[in-house]
Amino acid sequence: MNKLLLTDLNTEQQNAVTTDSQYTIVLAGAGSGKTRVLVHRIAWLCLEKNYSPNSIFAVTFTNKAAAEMQERIRALVGEGYYTSMWIGTFHGLTHRLLRMFSEQANLPANFQLIDTEDQNRLVKRIFRELKIDEKQWSSKECVAFISTQKEKGLRADAIVAEDPKQVMWQNIYRDYQAICDRVGYVDFSELILRTYELLCRNQDVLHYCQQRFANILIDEFQDTNQIQYRLVQKLAGTTANVMIVGDDDQSIYSWRGANADNLQLFINDYPETEIIRLEQNYRSTSTILDAANKLIANNLNRLGKNLWTDSGIGEKISLYIGFNDIDEARFVVGEIKKRHIEGQPYSSCAILYRNNVQSRIFEDTLLQAGLPYQIYGSIRFYERQEVKLALAYLRLLHDHNNDMAFETTVNTPTRGIGNVTLDKVKLTAKQNNISLWDASLMLIQTNGLTERQRSGISRFLELMESIYDEVGLLPFYKQLEAIIKLSGVLQMYEQEPGIKGQSRLENLEELVSAAEQFYGANENTVIEDGESGETLTVLESFLAHTSLESRDVIKEQDSVQLMTLHSAKGLEFDNVFIVGLEEGIFPAQRSMQEVDKMEEERRLAYVGITRARKHLTLTLCELRRLYGRDERNLPSRFLAELPIENLNEISYRGMISVPETRHKQLNENEQFINNRKNSYQKKVRENDGYILGRKVKHQRFGEGTIINLDGEGDHRRIQIAFVNEGIKWLVIKLANLTLI
């Protein structure tokens, strides 16, 4: 037995690594070392059980997780073992299969991946052809409908439409897919559905996959959707060893098709499944874990587990109740500044919120304080406008039949080719079932364009041909650098004023650098299968990489991390601030009437809490300006579900009272909310027109906003944030203020 593979694993982790069960669920709590278990399991199968590395099919849910797993496996088993394993995301691995078996999947060998923006553009084109009013109907909603149906495994003809809108979406889905099939476009949902259909339809391909992939490992199984689950079943057949790793308490993506019930469904489909629970947490303090456990225990539909740690009790959870959202943001930023002064990097601090709209006030406050910050999950590098434009030129240079690339580049920079000209080209392409490039040539040759139209189109086609003649034999990263200059893209962005234009130029430089690095690392072929011999050229692989890649390649800076709670999954930080813990915000208003949705909101809170390693701070405020309105929200019910003895309120006055006895009529939730109601009512009685958020004017200091109140009677004071004079405390009786 290779004991090195079991070194430093706890008993449950060792059981998961060495199990001989054909079907295994590893119920892995947050911070319980599931990646370590998966990596050691793969190494165990190869080194101890003598399975070929070719037999490994391991799925993660992000490219970052896949890269981490690949690196750790390489360190354990060595380069020779590692290279023939299939490790990646569902999208990455199905893309690889479709490249290998493109002919059997009825796809051109050079099929192109398209993203959501490309899908939206294609649907808008169909809208125009069908004369659908884009102001009345949302193309984004239609794209979401198509993706959802594909995630359910449904083609357009299989949908049972429930209303006139769905009938229209169904028809557009049919037209959309017909265009994709004709020109060789594949969207992300199509990757998985097309692979599943291939396995169902082609017995030779199915036999190859089932014979090869004897060991299937799926991470984050609670986040799989219907078609992904069916794909796993198809690949596994009756002979593969299947290990799924998941945590039903962290299922937070139902809104994008994830089905937490897949864990229970797997147990039902494979009754002999062994369940191994990983409950020892290596991330957080016991105070944080106790709070998380008590919170999630309020959910009814759980497979059940209880996180614990031997790393110490740690500090109490801080609870701050601000007067308003400005006060809340200033408190959080102030705490971050303190921690930085103490020697902690800004990147150790994360501000988590339920909705993106909440980020604005924290961004403003961080800017005012001069603290660097980064919004995690903002526009990804390869999705930036200038990057997509340069890549579209590269695609079109090598594939004139790429309609999406043609449409993107033909009039950018502007060449006087308007919508009328493009519509004529598109109509010709559709009528003759040819590409936009070939339709342009046809119109030029048959004099189907006006002199001005022909001039613009001709100049573009000649430009692309001349660029290819000049750089076509160079390595593709040099082609990319030349295209950016020769096409006019560089000059266009050089003329864009300010920091935005400079940022675009820097991104283009970074793109060429990324292309050069990719070329250097993969000079010969990138995707090569030892059994089938199927390969991609380095250029084809780079273009696929840019479509599938989700990591940003912008240079990292030590900065405060801002993100939604959904984006925080899989991450961890020493200092976590969960903000806006108020009813209607978190939990969200739309989830408060349905038990299932409320349970998912609670799981989201659980995910947020378990991101914290050392310090957790929860914040809310009494007055919040949101969507142009002032709102007074009650505290989130989740606060009352936490153990009060683990909380340390650090706001201006005690608002949470520990019940004298657990036998009082009011439970903790009602007691907490009742205390807050009384506080609000007391403030309303006292304010005399001076309320939080009210604008006032002072003869000397000018205009400002009330952000704090204190005291009673003649000694009542208010704290005002003046536009030009900063923040000041004033006694109301003496200040001679004017209410605005």
Side-chain angles (χ1 to χ4, degrees), residues 490-506:
L490 184 67
Q491 184 181 6
M492 178 178 72
Y493 289 127
E494 282 176 340
Q495 293 172 354
E496 187 170 337
I499 193 169
K500 193 171 185 180
Q502 184 60 38
S503 176
R504 293 193 193 281
L505 294 173
E506 289 172 356

Side-chain angles (χ1 to χ4, degrees), residues 420-474:
V420 174
T421 307
L422 277 177
D423 287 344
K424 191 176 289 188
V425 172
K426 290 174 186 176
L427 181 61
T428 302
K430 185 177 182 180
Q431 289 173 340
N432 294 277
N433 196 27
I434 56 177
S435 68
L436 297 179
W437 181 285
D438 289 342
S440 299
L441 288 173
M442 177 183 285
L443 286 168
I444 291 169
Q445 292 163 1
T446 59
N447 293 319
L449 297 171
T450 67
E451 182 62 35
R452 183 174 179 180
Q453 290 172 337
R454 185 169 64 250
S455 173
I457 289 286
S458 295
R459 279 188 286 110
F460 175 67
L461 299 183
E462 289 166 4
L463 171 68
M464 294 305 296
E465 294 287 10
S466 66
I467 292 175
Y468 188 82
D469 290 342
E470 186 170 337
V471 303
L473 298 179
L474 296 176

Side-chain angles (χ1 to χ4, degrees), residues 356-615:
N356 276 308
V357 69
Q358 293 172 256
S359 74
R360 184 200 57 78
I361 194 162
F362 290 95
E363 288 187 69
D364 289 349
T365 309
L366 286 162
L367 281 170
Q368 290 169 12
L371 271 59
Y373 71 90
Q374 178 182 6
I375 299 181
Y376 186 89
S378 58
I379 298 176
R380 295 181 284 202
F381 181 75
Y382 290 114
E383 293 175 353
R384 283 169 166 77
Q385 177 197 100
E386 60 279 9
V387 172
K388 290 191 71 173
L389 178 60
L391 289 172
Y393 270 103
L394 184 61
R395 291 181 193 277
L396 189 63
L397 191 72
H398 289 274
D399 179 11
H400 290 343
N401 294 324
N402 191 315
D403 286 356
M404 201 71 72
F406 183 96
E407 228 178 311
T408 301
T409 58
V410 66
N411 198 42
T412 308
T414 179
R415 298 183 177 93
I417 302 170
N419 288 333
V420 174
T421 307
L422 277 177
D423 287 344
K424 191 176 289 188
V425 172
K426 290 174 186 176
L427 181 61
T428 302
K430 185 177 182 180
Q431 289 173 340
N432 294 277
N433 196 27
I434 56 177
S435 68
L436 297 179
W437 181 285
D438 289 342
S440 299
L441 288 173
M442 177 183 285
L443 286 168
I444 291 169
Q445 292 163 1
T446 59
N447 293 319
L449 297 171
T450 67
E451 182 62 35
R452 183 174 179 180
Q453 290 172 337
R454 185 169 64 250
S455 173
I457 289 286
S458 295
R459 279 188 286 110
F460 175 67
L461 299 183
E462 289 166 4
L463 171 68
M464 294 305 296
E465 294 287 10
S466 66
I467 292 175
Y468 188 82
D469 290 342
E470 186 170 337
V471 303
L473 298 179
L474 296 176
F476 78 84
Y477 69 90
K478 288 187 177 295
Q479 295 174 11
L480 187 59
E481 186 174 27
I483 286 169
I484 291 169
K485 294 175 182 175
L486 298 174
S487 65
V489 168
L490 184 67
Q491 184 181 6
M492 178 178 72
Y493 289 127
E494 282 176 340
Q495 293 172 354
E496 187 170 337
I499 193 169
K500 193 171 185 180
Q502 184 60 38
S503 176
R504 293 193 193 281
L505 294 173
E506 289 172 356
N507 286 338
L508 289 173
E509 289 177 7
E510 187 65 36
L511 174 63
V512 173
S513 175
E516 184 175 2
Q517 289 175 0
F518 192 95
Y519 182 85
N522 308 280
E523 246 181 279
N524 299 316
T525 55
V526 178
I527 296 176
E528 182 173 359
D529 187 77
E531 296 181 35
S532 71
E534 294 286 339
T535 63
L536 288 180
T537 67
V538 66
L539 171 62
E540 289 171 334
S541 190
F542 176 72
L543 291 173
H545 164 81
T546 62
S547 296
L548 291 166
E549 179 59 61
S550 65
R551 287 172 295 157
D552 204 321
V553 298
I554 296 297
K555 296 177 180 66
E556 290 188 8
Q557 176 192 14
D558 180 30
S559 52
V560 180
Q561 302 297 298
L562 275 68
M563 67 193 74
T564 64
L565 284 143
H566 283 100
S567 297
K569 189 167 178 293
L571 304 176
E572 56 185 73
F573 304 90
D574 283 349
N575 308 288
V576 169
F577 299 83
I578 304 178
V579 300
L581 277 156
E582 299 155 33
E583 291 286 293
I585 296 176
F586 190 30
Q589 188 69 42
R590 62 180 176 274
S591 302
M592 293 170 65
Q593 304 305 317
E594 297 181 37
V595 173
D596 288 348
K597 288 184 177 179
M598 182 54 68
E599 292 211 342
E600 181 155 337
E601 291 284 313
R602 189 174 284 108
R603 292 195 293 268
L604 191 56
Y606 174 84
V607 165
I609 289 171
T610 54
R611 299 311 93 197
R613 293 193 195 106
K614 298 177 181 178
H615 310 286

